[in-house]
Amino acid sequence: MTLEQKVGQLIQADISSIKPSDLQQYPLGSILAGGNSGPYGNERASAAKWAELVGEFREVSRNSGAGIPILFGVDAVHGHSNLPGATIFPHNIGLGAANDPVMIRRIGEATAAEISGSGIEWTFAPTLAVPQDLRWGRSYEGYAADPTLVAKYATAMTLGLQGKLESGKVLDAKKVAATAKHFLADGGTADGRDQGDARISEKELIEKHAQGYPAAIDAGALSVMVSFSSWNGAKHHGNKSLVTDVLKGRMGFAGLVVGDWNGHGQVPGCSAGACPDAINAGLDLFMAPDSWKKVYDSTLAAARDGTIAAARIDDAVRRILRVKFKLGLMGDTLTQRGDPALIGTADHLELAREAVAKSLVLLKNNDGVLPIRKGANVLIAGPGADNMAMQAGGWTISWQGTDTKPEDFPNGQTIGRAISDAVRTSGGIATISADGRFEAKPEVAVVVVGERPYAEFEGDAPDLAYRTSPADEELIARLKSQGIRVVVVFLSGRPMFTGKLINQADAFVAAWLPGTQGNGVADVLVAAADGKAARDFAGRLPFVWPANALSPISKPLFPMGYGLTYTKPSHLGPVNEKAGVDLTLSSHISNFVVRGKIPAPWRLDVDGAISTRPVDLSAQEDARKFTWNTDGKMTINGPAVDLLKQSESGAALMIDWRIDQPAKGPVLLTVGEATLTLQDLIGAKSAGSLLNTYIPLSCFAKAGAKMKTVAMPLRIAAPKGFVATIRNVRIEAKGSAGACPAVAK
Ligand code: GLC
């Protein structure tokens, strides 16, 4: 192999940024489809289309340069959840509640078969995080807070996905390479900040966060993914002592180490386009989704000038080739994957149904309202009653899982549909109505509420409070006032403070993110003709359940391992309803732009001639670019909010942005009735630099803004030619930052 071919092997590109023919010039070793990438730009492509695309990349790679086929990876983290029709299992937190390693292995086998059915041979799973602070948006990707259970699951899932490795033999065609991720302590960051810093002792690092890795390695895991996060300030992508000395040395990992989505760019002195330090720290494969050309050039230069030793390059190539051999991609007898008959089979769906049933945790069941008796009149209500997106959560069809449609799930049923079918089968009457309308008064209502889908940092929360919407509170109160007993089914990626909801409910079920098989919920909640539910509750809390909204959780409402059953009933008296945080000033009110998204209740209005689109600033689609094609303004509008307290307490409006193209005229910032010129704050800054611009709210108050009722918390007016990329805009309780900008004339 030439040096160019070796360096190419160390680089992975995303399908949305590379086409097969590019491999003739850039001999890359691997291709991925990230959360928002689908074959030929279609996130709803069929298994056959996935297999076709993988085949195209493989064909070009085999017939050019050294003829080494690419390795193709995808996030199949709760089943092959990129694929309409695939079996989508509960997210890891629900599997942790099931506490059933044997079932985990079966889920791994089914998932591997469905990934293989689409022609793919590598999944970026299992996540072995041990979440400590449930404000973390990826808590649901963790199985449990118990490292021992995580280690058991690491073994089971790895063996399920890969099968038992046998020396000299390739994996079965229905098996795929697993990825133990994200190394290390991704779930241990301060305040649960995604991609943040785990400020913990080596003892805690090992005892709490490392237990899954030796288990996965002993089970033969062929890859490990490095975490974006850091340990005591050292970014993992540049931490040689952990990646090389510990993972490869002491833990004896012989597979390949892949980076996370331009994560190498977070290493001090590195950028998304260049980071020899990461390879020298022990990374074998850059995940360089859109930066692969620059990474190729910079890594080749570093290999040529000796910044990266030849031995390191060879070791990385060897590890990558070893995985390719193991997957049957090399040599003459290629392992054939791509049998769509493996996808969404009856036994996989049955397994997912079982997993859903075993994942449910019963936290309250006063007066035996559950199981719903046969022949009953039942209402299924709430925003989650007939809502597959809420049921499946993030990493479903798309990265955030927020734009799915019922037709994306031909093999599933929502909780409402499943309960309705089960009630009717038992001779009862069932009505599904999100807003709780009915004709004949039901004796029991199942109200399905919970979190909206999110993935990664999108799910980072300021506290553990579940903010029941006023409509949902009113719905439950209305039902209760009519003497209708209420069963709350709570869909969430984590335990949350739900004191008032628990008190209002007669029964409360933690259902996590169950995926497509809503019938698994009906199996436990609805009595069949024989008067018994098909299954009793088996789930136990994999994390403590908080008694208030503060995190870390000082005194749980329910301990880890808690869970009622029909054979072990219990009466729950009133629980604390005080969140301990000021919900009215919750982050969503004072967060106007969050990583390029505009959270409810805010909305973005831009003048027609301003174009805007999501872009990657420091992570996947974490910012939004605004281009002023003529003079115009972008505005954040919403309900009038009371910002008087913040204004008087010295809080500031913070804009986290990059000026891509400076303005040739004044840039005006309006809050409420006051407009200030930003020129003196940003004028001097060079284009392209990241800025955190702070403007004390008191400056707007002094300029005439009525801070008690601010209905327009942000407007930026600028002249043609101004271009800015905005990542976050929020109110920060920060000391006033000096003089106020000039008031606009
Ligand atoms: C994401 C995630 C990682 C995933 C990768 C590819 O940023 O951190 O878990 O496997 O990128 O989608």
Side-chain angles (χ1 to χ4, degrees):
M1 291 172 75
T2 65
L3 185 61
E4 290 76 6
Q5 290 163 353
K6 289 182 181 179
V7 166
Q9 284 300 308
L10 278 51
I11 298 165
Q12 177 186 66
D14 183 81
I15 58 171
S16 55
S17 304
I18 189 168
K19 49 188 187 307
S21 58
D22 291 325
L23 295 177
Q24 282 155 349
Q25 188 188 344
Y26 291 88
L28 304 192
S30 178
I31 301 291
L32 88 143
N36 271 347
S37 303
Y40 313 107
N42 178 4
E43 289 187 70
R44 289 168 172 78
S46 67
K49 273 295 173 196
W50 276 100
E52 182 186 323
L53 178 75
V54 174
E56 280 182 30
F57 277 106
R58 199 99 74 201
E59 201 50 31
V60 174
S61 60
R62 288 177 60 81
N63 296 311
S64 54
I68 298 173
I70 54 100
L71 184 58
F72 194 100
V74 73
D75 291 281
V77 296
H78 61 136
H80 190 0
S81 50
N82 304 278
L83 190 63
T87 306
I88 298 185
F89 291 90
H91 268 295
N92 287 353
I93 190 168
L95 300 181
N99 192 7
D100 184 342
V102 171
M103 181 178 73
I104 295 304
R105 180 163 180 170
R106 291 162 56 211
I107 290 174
E109 287 163 355
T111 302
E114 301 207 7
I115 296 165
S116 165
S118 63
I120 298 170
E121 69 278 0
W122 182 22
T123 179
F124 305 129
T127 295
L128 302 179
V130 186
Q132 301 299 300
D133 188 318
L134 300 175
R135 288 176 287 181
W136 187 36
R138 306 193 75 164
S139 295
Y140 68 79
E141 296 185 65
Y143 289 118
D146 172 8
T148 313
L149 183 62
V150 172
K152 282 183 196 157
Y153 276 27
T155 302
M157 184 52 81
T158 302
L159 289 174
L161 289 169
Q162 297 188 166
K164 195 163 173 40
L165 299 194
E166 293 173 71
S167 68
K169 281 188 145 185
V170 300
L171 269 59
D172 180 275
K174 290 194 285 190
K175 298 297 181 191
V176 299
T179 309
K181 77 181 186 180
H182 311 80
F183 189 81
L184 183 57
D186 46 350
T189 59
D191 301 329
R193 293 293 291 266
D194 188 41
Q195 306 189 14
D197 189 27
R199 296 166 200 151
I200 56 178
S201 67
E202 181 171 339
K203 185 171 183 298
E204 185 173 342
L205 183 79
I206 295 167
E207 289 174 359
K208 279 190 183 160
H209 301 283
Q211 299 307 306
Y213 289 88
I217 293 166
D218 291 350
L222 290 172
S223 74
V224 167
M225 185 183 293
V226 178
S227 177
F228 281 116
S229 57
S230 49
W231 178 40
N232 294 334
K235 279 285 179 184
H236 287 300
H237 276 74
N239 191 330
K240 184 164 192 262
S241 68
L242 281 182
V243 177
T244 297
D245 304 344
V246 170
L247 176 63
K248 294 181 174 179
R250 285 162 51 195
M251 290 186 182
F253 178 61
L256 70 85
V257 177
V258 60
D260 196 348
W261 201 271
N262 283 329
H264 53 271
Q266 296 186 24
V267 175
C270 285
S271 68
C275 193
D277 288 359
I279 298 293
N280 287 336
L283 191 78
D284 300 312
L285 181 63
F286 282 110
M287 185 182 287
D290 52 355
S291 53
W292 52 274
K293 275 185 188 164
K294 286 185 182 164
V295 170
Y296 177 79
D297 295 340
S298 62
T299 308
L300 185 55
R304 283 185 178 135
D305 70 16
T307 306
I308 304 174
R312 178 70 272 272
I313 298 277
D314 288 348
D315 171 53
V317 172
R318 205 173 292 121
R319 287 168 175 270
I320 291 166
L321 294 186
R322 192 179 296 139
V323 172
K324 293 183 177 182
F325 273 107
K326 215 58 200 164
L327 286 164
L329 302 180
M330 305 287 282
D332 305 333
T333 49
L334 275 186
T335 300
Q336 291 307 312
R337 291 181 174 88
D339 175 3
L342 296 172
I343 294 164
T345 60
D347 59 343
H348 294 173
L349 297 172
E350 198 50 34
L351 175 57
R353 176 176 189 166
E354 174 191 345
V356 171
K358 289 180 173 178
S359 70
L360 305 177
V361 181
L362 183 58
L363 298 180
K364 179 179 182 181
N365 188 25
N366 285 2
D367 311 322
V369 64
L370 287 177
I372 294 169
R373 70 174 186 78
K374 67 175 185 173
N377 178 338
V378 183
L379 166 72
I380 307 104
D386 201 21
N387 186 331
M388 199 59 99
M390 278 180 69
Q391 231 169 273
W395 296 105
T396 304
I397 305 296
S398 69
W399 179 42
Q400 295 294 322
T402 48
D403 54 353
T404 55
K405 307 177 184 67
E407 54 268 29
D408 293 332
F409 310 101
N411 290 327
Q413 59 291 131
T414 61
I415 291 168
R417 296 269 161 240
I419 290 178
S420 171
D421 292 349
V423 166
R424 290 198 179 122
T425 306
S426 80
I429 301 169
T431 308
I432 300 175
S433 163
D435 55 12
R437 272 174 292 129
F438 53 79
E439 275 149 31
K441 180 178 156 191
E443 65 184 75
V444 62
V446 178
V447 180
V448 187
V449 297
E451 291 194 284
R452 298 301 184 269
Y454 54 78
E456 300 193 50
F457 45 74
E458 291 302 311
D460 280 5
D463 52 50
L464 293 180
Y466 172 66
R467 290 164 171 78
T468 310
S469 73
D472 293 346
E473 275 199 5
E474 191 279 326
L475 164 65
I476 295 172
R478 177 159 39 88
L479 294 168
K480 292 289 289 173
S481 68
Q482 298 173 73
I484 300 168
R485 302 214 288 181
V486 170
V487 175
V488 166
V489 172
F490 187 64
L491 298 174
S492 69
R494 53 198 147 194
M496 299 183 83
F497 170 63
T498 48
K500 185 171 180 184
L501 212 46
I502 290 175
N503 286 340
Q504 283 181 301
D506 296 292
F508 190 97
V509 178
W512 318 112
L513 299 170
T516 51
Q517 303 316 107
N519 47 16
V521 176
D523 290 345
V524 181
L525 268 58
V526 181
D530 64 0
K532 284 209 184 95
R535 287 179 179 274
D536 192 352
F537 281 93
R540 300 290 178 273
L541 288 181
F543 299 90
V544 296
W545 195 276
N548 59 44
L550 296 168
S551 186
I553 298 166
S554 55
K555 71 180 168 55
L557 175 59
F558 302 113
M560 202 155 46
Y562 184 85
L564 302 179
T565 68
Y566 291 138
T567 53
K568 262 193 334 178
S570 155
H571 185 87
L572 181 68
V575 301
N576 165 50
E577 294 192 5
K578 289 189 179 48
V581 296
D582 185 342
L583 299 177
T584 57
L585 283 186
S586 70
S587 87
H588 85 278
I589 280 294
S590 53
N591 265 3
F592 309 121
V593 180
V594 180
R595 286 173 293 272
K597 292 18 172 233
I598 290 78
W602 304 113
R603 65 175 187 284
L604 172 66
D605 296 322
V606 289
D607 287 351
I610 297 177
S611 54
T612 178
R613 63 187 172 84
V615 294
D616 292 8
L617 193 59
S618 56
Q620 206 168 346
E621 296 193 358
D622 66 337
R624 180 166 277 274
K625 186 167 204 167
F626 294 85
T627 303
W628 270 257
N629 302 308
T630 58
D631 297 3
K633 46 191 180 302
M634 60 79 75
T635 307
I636 301 282
N637 277 312
V641 285
D642 177 356
L643 301 180
L644 189 59
K645 266 195 249 180
Q646 290 97 321
S647 173
E648 289 168 348
S649 63
L653 181 71
M654 192 283 290
I655 308 175
D656 163 24
W657 58 341
R658 182 183 64 199
I659 309 293
D660 302 299
Q661 189 63 43
K664 294 184 175 52
V667 176
L668 305 180
L669 179 61
T670 300
V671 170
E673 297 80 358
T675 299
L676 308 175
T677 57
L678 276 189
Q679 226 49 20
D680 36 2
L681 276 179
I682 57 172
K685 306 281 181 191
S686 61
S689 53
L690 278 174
L691 306 177
N692 279 356
T693 303
Y694 286 89
I695 308 102
L697 291 177
S698 56
C699 297
F700 296 103
K702 278 182 211 143
K706 296 184 182 61
M707 299 313 279
K708 190 127 181 71
T709 52
V710 176
M712 183 177 68
L714 181 80
R715 165 173 285 168
I716 299 178
K720 176 178 169 62
F722 185 56
V723 184
T725 297
I726 299 177
R727 178 165 49 186
N728 295 301
V729 180
R730 57 174 174 262
I731 290 172
E732 288 202 355
K734 184 180 174 80
S736 60
C740 291
V743 178
K745 300 279 177 288

